[in-house]
Every structure is written in structure tokens, then in C-alpha cells.
Amino acid sequence: MNSVLHSLLAAFAFGTCFAQSPHNDAAFADRYPDYLFEVTKVMVHDIINPPAAARYYAYTALASHLVADPESTSWTGIRVPQVDGEVQANLAATYALLEVARRMIPSGQDLEPVQEQLLAAAKSDFKIKKKQIALSISYAKLVADEVVAYSLNDGYRNLSARVAYTPKKGPGYWYPTPPAYIEAIEPHWTTIRPFFLDSSTQFVPEKPVPFDMDTSSVFYKEQLMGVYDAVKNRTREEEEIAKFWDCNPFEVKIMGHTMIGMKKITPGGHWMGITGIATRKTALGFQETVKAHALVAMTLHDAFISCWDEKYRSDRIRPETVINQYLDDEWRPVLQTPPFPEYTSGHSVASGAASTMLTHLFGDDFAFDDDTETYFGLPIRSFPSFDAAAEEAAISRLYGGIHYIDACDIGLRQGRDLGEFIVNKISH
């Protein structure tokens, strides 16, 4: 045991001790984003919608954080359990990530082979003793019990019992869009319990430009025609930007009489990928790697609550619906329009919030190569900072023809304000 550095931390009770190896710490930190991506792949398979995906990321990453750093605040009041013996913290924290995902995500059982691979690596690659592996997994499951139990009271189970959403009648209100005309996604997400926000209405943005089809109105000239012209006159670079940040798990391709769903990552999944890029580039230790992922995930969770609160308040019509009805019935956006109201842009809010947290964690002018989408056949894009990536993500929604410019700009501001609030909250 001479090579093992013991960090003996009290876990709110006597009994549990945590062991960490300097060698294993770096290796586990480097592999952690890969295990998180296994969770992402299951969500892609299940076509999990953006706010629900952020919720899953938050609880899975939180479980890891509670194991990896039991003395830190959990931001939730969850009490870390204790066991009698020595737990290998890196193994237990990684297993807890997968275990919560396995229990919460519909196809979570697909992660069982990944858990087995982790246990095999613990024995062969990390030389962790069989007895310590068993105790570490038992501890991870105890923490998973606590996190899953906490999740059961966040309002998610009540969503299906709420009154179904019915599109409002009248001009300017959202209506299902082609080609699948999917019903509105998560109209009651505002009822989900946030992690950091005081309420879903804490960061209500300014009202959108009013719907007005008078050709001299601000809506017609700046918002509607802004989208129409952006798509019609798009450059190759703008189209590439739109597709890079698409992140729409609901895209449907029509082939004859058959609809085929295209598997894609969510906005939250993209930013979790960026988080892994940052932790690897800076060679963070395991504990800090896990903490960074937990903070970004929980920030994204609250960002979607705030955004969805506004979406179903303003209930604004999508550009595609207006353009096809009033201007050009042959016009199509570059990206497929997602199935929920337009204002504010979800990707803009999520990007503003996540980039603000990442800037807090890693600093301004953090240059990085974003290879998050290579798994989905898209090329790497490089950015000089997290803020620059967020700004490109926001404007990509205009280039893609699925958002008006005010939804992009104000959504980005909404996310940044929310992110700053969370940064200040965790800093005190």
C-alpha cells in the first residue's frame, strides 16, 4: 500500500474512509468523460428531449460528486451515507454515475455492460483489490439510492398527470411544425424543482417583439424577414455552423411513406462534452473533474427550467409556420424545427449558462477544439473561449431558420444572467 495516498474523509458519520492512488486518480479523471458519453449514447438512443436530458445529466453527475468529494456541499441537502471500511473513491464515483443513469434513464439497462467493463478495468488496469472493489460498488449504490430518492420528489413524476397542452388559437401562437407535427414537448417543465434557482420565474426575460404582419412592423422587418433572408442568403460557413449546433433529437426524415428518426445529441449533451474537453486539456484531478461536470450539469438543468418557463408563457409561433403561411409555402429552414414554442431559444439559454459556469471554472480566453460532434459525423470546430462558442451556438439558430434574432440574443443574455447567479451562489 506504499503507493497509495490515503485521504481519510469523514462522510457525515464514522466508518467510511476513502483511498485514492495518484496514478489511478489521473487515469480515472481522463476516462471520466468517456463514461459520461456512454450515458449520452443511451439518451440519444432513447431520443430524450433537451430539458429531460439536462435533468439526467444533473442527477448522474451529482451522484459522482457526492462520492468524490463527500466533505463538500451537495447543494441539495442530500446526506452522504457511510459504510464500515475503505472505499476507492474514484471507482465508486464513476460507478455511481453509471448506476444513477442505469436506474433513471428508460434504456438504462444498456449501461450494465459498461459497468462490467469498469469493474474489469478496476481489477486489471488499476490493480484494485477484489474486496475493495466490492465495498466501493456497494457504497456507490448507497449514494445512488439517496440521489434517486431525491429525484423522485422534483415534480417529474407528476408531469404525465397534468392537463395536456393544447395550441392556442389566434395569430402569433405556436403550432406544431412539419414534417412530423409533433405535439409540444414538456409544457409543464416549469414545475420541476431547480437546484440553484429560487423559482422558475427568477430570470424572466423581456417580452419578445410582438407578432405583427404589417410590413412596416419591427416583427416583420427585423424578426421575420431576418430569418427568411438568413436562410435564403446563407453562406456555406453559416450552414456548417447551423448543422454543428443542431442538437435536435427530434429530427425526422420522410422516406416514401416512412418516417425515420435521426439520432442526435441534445444541447446539454454538447456542453457536457465541452466540459470533458476542458477537464482533459487542463489535466484536472479526478475530484475536480467530477465537480466541474456536476456544476455544468446542474446549471444546464436550471437553465432549461428557466427557458421552458418562458417558452410556454410567450407561446410564440415558429418562423417556419409564419413564412409558409404568409410569405413562401416552399421555404424550408436549414434545420428541422423542434417541437416547442420559439421564445427564448433553448440552445441560447443553455449555452449562455454553461459557458458562464465553464468560464468561472477554467477562465477567460480558454481556447479549445470542440470534437463533441465527431461521433455524429460532424467536423471539429475551434473556439478562442467558451463565450465565443456560446455566441456561435446562439446565432446558429438564426442561420438554421428555427429562431428569430431576438430569441437568440435575449436567450443568450438570459442564460448568462442565470449562470452568473449560480456562480455567485456557489462562491459564497
Side-chain angles (χ1 to χ4, degrees):
M1 300 293 286
N2 291 335
S3 65
V4 177
L5 175 64
H6 292 284
S7 178
L8 304 180
L9 304 174
F12 294 97
F14 297 106
T16 308
C17 295
F18 292 87
Q20 293 177 328
S21 162
H23 170 71
N24 285 357
D25 186 82
F28 268 106
D30 185 64
R31 294 189 188 189
Y32 187 81
D34 293 333
Y35 285 112
L36 185 71
F37 189 65
E38 293 296 330
V39 176
T40 295
K41 288 195 289 186
V42 173
M43 286 197 267
V44 169
H45 171 272
D46 285 352
I47 317 179
I48 302 297
N49 66 61
R55 176 177 177 268
Y56 290 136
Y57 284 124
Y59 285 116
T60 55
L62 171 62
S64 275
H65 173 66
L66 290 173
V67 175
D69 190 5
E71 283 196 332
S72 74
T73 175
S74 69
W75 310 297
T76 61
I78 296 176
R79 290 183 61 82
V80 179
Q82 62 91 24
V83 293
D84 186 17
E86 186 178 77
V87 170
Q88 214 293 331
N90 300 339
L91 170 61
T94 306
Y95 196 92
L97 169 85
L98 298 171
E99 181 66 12
V100 171
R102 184 187 69 81
R103 298 189 197 181
M104 292 185 67
I105 301 172
S107 294
Q109 71 275 0
D110 290 350
L111 289 168
E112 291 174 4
V114 182
Q115 290 178 308
E116 292 300 320
Q117 292 167 14
L118 172 62
L119 298 184
K123 183 178 180 180
S124 63
D125 298 352
F126 301 121
K127 310 302 180 184
I128 302 174
K129 294 181 179 179
K130 185 177 180 180
K131 184 177 180 180
Q132 195 176 26
I133 290 175
L135 183 62
S136 300
I137 299 315
S138 295
Y139 184 75
K141 290 180 178 179
L142 287 175
V143 174
D145 289 342
E146 296 295 324
V147 172
V148 172
Y150 183 76
S151 75
L152 294 177
N153 297 315
D154 70 354
Y156 184 78
R157 291 191 299 173
N158 301 327
L159 293 179
S160 61
R162 294 185 177 276
V163 177
Y165 173 86
T166 301
K168 296 177 182 177
K169 295 181 179 180
Y173 291 119
W174 179 84
Y175 195 80
T177 50
Y181 296 93
I182 300 172
E183 64 182 18
I185 296 299
E186 306 295 4
H188 302 293
W189 202 255
T190 184
T191 64
I192 297 297
R193 177 187 61 205
F195 284 103
F196 299 111
L197 299 183
D198 299 325
S199 74
S200 64
T201 60
Q202 190 172 353
F203 289 94
V204 175
E206 61 190 80
K207 293 182 179 180
V209 174
F211 179 83
D212 187 346
M213 289 307 295
D214 187 305
T215 56
S216 64
S217 70
V218 173
F219 176 82
Y220 187 93
K221 291 192 300 182
E222 297 181 7
Q223 304 300 319
L224 184 61
M225 293 307 297
V227 180
Y228 183 79
D229 291 339
V231 171
K232 187 177 179 180
N233 302 320
R234 67 184 183 275
T235 65
R236 181 176 179 179
E237 171 74 1
E238 290 169 344
E239 184 168 336
E240 289 176 355
I241 289 172
K243 291 180 178 179
F244 182 78
W245 294 102
D246 185 8
C247 304
N248 179 8
F250 301 103
E251 184 179 3
V252 175
K253 295 290 187 184
I254 306 296
M255 297 184 179
H257 298 288
T258 304
M259 287 188 179
I260 300 176
M262 307 301 290
K263 306 287 189 176
K264 292 186 180 181
I265 202 170
T266 62
H270 195 136
W271 281 99
M272 292 303 289
I274 291 174
T275 303
I277 291 169
T279 60
R280 279 173 164 162
K281 181 176 180 179
T282 53
L284 282 188
F286 183 79
Q287 191 177 88
E288 290 303 309
T289 291
V290 170
K291 182 179 180 180
H293 282 86
L295 283 170
V296 173
M298 295 165 80
T299 297
L300 286 164
H301 174 274
D302 283 14
F304 277 104
I305 291 174
S306 179
C307 180
W308 251 243
D309 176 74
E310 175 56 37
K311 280 186 178 295
Y312 288 94
R313 177 185 299 105
S314 53
D315 206 13
R316 193 195 209 182
I317 196 168
R318 287 281 182 169
E320 183 173 14
T321 307
V322 183
I323 293 171
N324 288 169
Q325 182 177 352
Y326 294 96
L327 298 181
D328 183 354
D329 61 7
E330 296 294 324
W331 184 92
R332 297 291 181 271
V334 175
L335 306 179
Q336 196 168 108
T337 302
F340 35 78
E342 188 271 344
Y343 187 86
T344 47
S345 158
H347 213 325
S348 300
V349 177
S351 297
S355 63
T356 298
M357 177 56 70
L358 285 166
T359 298
H360 165 70
L361 295 172
F362 297 98
D364 297 318
D365 305 321
F366 185 97
F368 65 97
D369 296 325
D370 186 357
D371 62 356
T372 306
E373 298 283 354
T374 55
Y375 179 84
F376 302 94
L378 294 173
I380 296 172
R381 290 188 67 81
S382 300
F383 300 97
S385 67
F386 300 116
D387 281 344
E391 288 167 4
E392 184 178 281
I395 197 64
S396 75
R397 318 321 266 169
L398 175 70
Y399 297 158
I402 61 175
H403 278 289
Y404 308 105
I405 188 61
D406 63 345
C408 303
D409 292 344
I410 297 172
L412 184 62
R413 191 186 317 150
Q414 179 185 358
R416 284 173 170 168
D417 289 345
L418 182 150
E420 286 292 345
F421 169 80
I422 297 175
V423 166
N424 289 334
K425 192 165 188 176
I426 65 173
S427 299
H428 292 88

